[in-house]
Amino acid sequence: MTDTTLVWFRQDLRLDDNPALYHACQQGSIIPVYILDDTTTFPAQGSAAAWWLQQSLLALSASLDDKLIVLNGNPATLLPELLAALQCQHITWNRCYEGWRIERDSRLKSALKDEGYSVESYNGSLLWEPWQTKKQDGDYYRVFTPFYRHVRSQLAVSQPLPRPASLDIAALVNATVNLGGSPTRLTQCQGKKAIQALPLGSAIGWEAKLHGLWDISERDAGKLLETFLEKTLDAYENGRDVPADNATSLLSPYLQAGLISPRRIWQTTQAHALSAGKENAAEAFLRELIWREFAFCQLYRLPELATEPVNEKFRYFPWQSNATQQKQWQRGETGIPLVDAGMRELWETGYMHNRVRMVAASFLIKNLLQPWQDGRAWFDDCLIDACPANNSMNWQWVAGCGIDAAPYFRIFNPVRQSQRFDPSGDYIRRWVPELSNLPGKYIHEPWLLPDRIAKETGFTPGKDYPSPMVNLKASREQALEAFRLLPNV
Ligand SMILES: Cc1cc2nc3c(=O)[nH]c(=O)nc-3n(C[C@H](O)[C@H](O)[C@H](O)COP(=O)(O)OP(=O)(O)OC[C@H]3O[C@@H](n4cnc5c(N)ncnc54)[C@H](O)[C@@H]3O)c2cc1C
């Protein structure tokens, strides 16, 4: 198989703008492989994202004529064995940016090169490699706005690659190879079965909840982008903070699994904006894509981003870890309507609106004094877009423990946020139906409902919906006091 290249799919489950696939196809035939790494993944694969991954793999396999080889194990041992068994001399992949993956991939790359294989890796997931976005003094940006200004003024985004003109997938019918010491039949042509057999199921039963809510394939990602640009982009800048408005792209889970590339989103948006004269509206959207780049940069420079606070002094923060309180938050039973609406949206759909993510995270960290890492882990488990860079950076951002300039003492008031961003209460009504009959004035603070209206609406605060689990003002003061007492390290 001298002209055949093994293409290792990872977070790039698509044919369009996939540099590893594109360059391999230019050399000759390919062997497409996906390996579910159940040995080293960190943070652990979340259960909702696992469901999304499985659906994405099924779609990828279909676009590869069901010839995707699917394995389960440690790629660092399986890939060398596979290359040797198939007598394949070339391998390509697109880079990942988690510290543990970088370490593993670098070791694998040099070991394979030492064995005489040709190994090429590419950027398939980011607009720019993290090391391309450094400051002039060679250091990484730690604050978003200067990062944004820098990349916007200094760096261009390259054009996405087209999907390969033709796919020549090497036939391995009935190939049996020795993997991990035991003979393994390569399940090419049985992609669907192999994918369904992967240990990706969850006790939570996301399949039952999410089936039918999302269309999951590369094609669907492209359609979603087109529809967003045609119908929603105009409303994005003002509407993106209003959870009831559905004014965002919903592209995050597609980006996370690699069903669409950020370059494709960027260039399609730019072209649309230019032809429709919508440069300002487009810039607000592109800026969010740059937040994603910023998050990956932080993960690249700080591999422990998911667990260690960037600002060291937060290691000494007196968190009051409390499993009962965390359960109430997870179930959307805090008694704070906007927080509960968000947590229930997450549980029912695997997604939560960005503004509400900020408010729900802030409530857990600052009003309940729960460790941000616990909230991050719950989001990782429940989000279909769970992303080690975006999730970890945003939790640290809300916690105020080092990422960007948001200081700890800036504490979201969930009631004010609710009045401002869900003024009609439509989002709350959607996810907290017990409150749906309350007049708009009280939907943000049902505990203030006068007896007369309670009688008229048949709603009893504290019985039909929980009373707030903490006093917002007192818990805010407690958080500020804990912060003031932190040692200066
Ligand atoms: C506590 C918290 C946890 C989060 N966890 C995740 C996560 O695990 N995965 C994830 O993809 N996003 C996460 N985000 C960021 C953001 O909430 C989502 O990216 C966004 O809600 C996805 O919806 P959308 O695709 O419609 O976004 P749009 O508004 O349409 O934005 C387009 C794209 O820009 C990127 N983006 C938007 N906002 C952010 C942001 N604040 N940080 C980084 N990238 C951003 C996303 O890739 C998004 O798909 C988190 C935010 C918070 C506050």
Side-chain angles (χ1 to χ4, degrees), residues 118-355:
S118 88
V119 190
E120 294 296 338
S121 60
Y122 302 91
N123 171 9
S125 305
L126 296 177
L127 298 171
W128 310 283
E129 294 288 13
W131 49 91
Q132 293 176 310
T133 62
K134 283 181 175 180
K135 292 194 273 192
Q136 259 184 350
D137 65 7
D139 202 357
Y140 287 96
Y141 283 93
R142 284 139 208 261
V143 178
F144 176 73
T145 305
F147 175 85
Y148 168 74
R149 286 201 195 110
H150 171 75
V151 296
R152 246 359 226 126
S153 61
Q154 304 297 319
L155 300 176
V157 173
S158 55
Q159 283 298 331
L161 294 164
R163 36 176 71 213
S166 66
L167 284 175
D168 177 5
I169 304 178
L172 304 173
V173 184
N174 291 335
T176 300
V177 294
N178 216 12
L179 293 181
S182 58
T184 305
R185 180 125 175 256
L186 291 182
T187 51
Q188 201 186 28
C189 307
Q190 295 178 23
K192 204 168 167 187
K193 263 198 208 157
I195 293 163
Q196 279 161 346
L198 288 173
L200 285 171
S202 84
I204 295 172
W206 289 105
E207 161 71 21
K209 283 202 274 191
L210 304 190
H211 183 79
L213 282 188
W214 302 89
D215 294 321
I216 306 170
S217 71
E218 176 176 356
R219 201 158 155 258
D220 291 311
K223 279 203 290 198
L224 193 61
L225 173 62
E226 292 296 333
T227 313
F228 168 73
L229 294 177
E230 286 296 330
K231 300 201 168 145
T232 320
L233 183 64
D234 280 344
Y236 183 79
E237 191 173 4
N238 296 325
R240 62 175 291 273
D241 270 321
V242 181
D245 277 6
N246 301 325
T248 68
S249 72
L250 299 181
L251 281 166
S252 54
Y254 299 88
L255 269 166
Q256 175 52 21
L259 295 170
I260 192 164
S261 80
R263 276 189 296 255
R264 177 62 68 199
I265 298 179
W266 183 279
Q267 296 296 4
T268 311
T269 304
Q270 289 279 41
H272 175 86
L274 215 61
S275 70
K278 293 181 182 168
E279 282 89 343
N280 286 346
E283 192 58 33
F285 177 61
L286 297 177
R287 189 182 160 94
E288 295 309 309
L289 282 183
I290 295 177
W291 265 108
R292 178 176 180 273
E293 296 291 309
F294 182 64
F296 273 90
C297 245
Q298 301 310 316
L299 179 66
Y300 181 74
R301 80 177 178 92
L302 303 163
E304 307 298 328
L305 193 65
T307 48
E308 298 303 325
V310 175
N311 182 339
E312 263 189 54
K313 79 179 184 184
F314 276 81
R315 292 196 183 156
Y316 305 97
F317 194 87
W319 302 111
Q320 298 177 9
S321 200
N322 178 322
T324 311
Q325 288 199 339
Q326 290 194 20
K327 267 260 135 38
Q328 278 174 269
W329 175 79
Q330 291 168 358
R331 291 185 172 152
E333 293 171 359
T334 67
I336 307 295
L338 187 63
V339 173
D340 291 344
M343 297 309 293
R344 295 186 198 184
E345 180 186 23
L346 176 65
W347 186 246
E348 294 304 323
T349 67
Y351 177 87
M352 193 197 299
H353 185 277
N354 179 60
R355 171 61 50 180

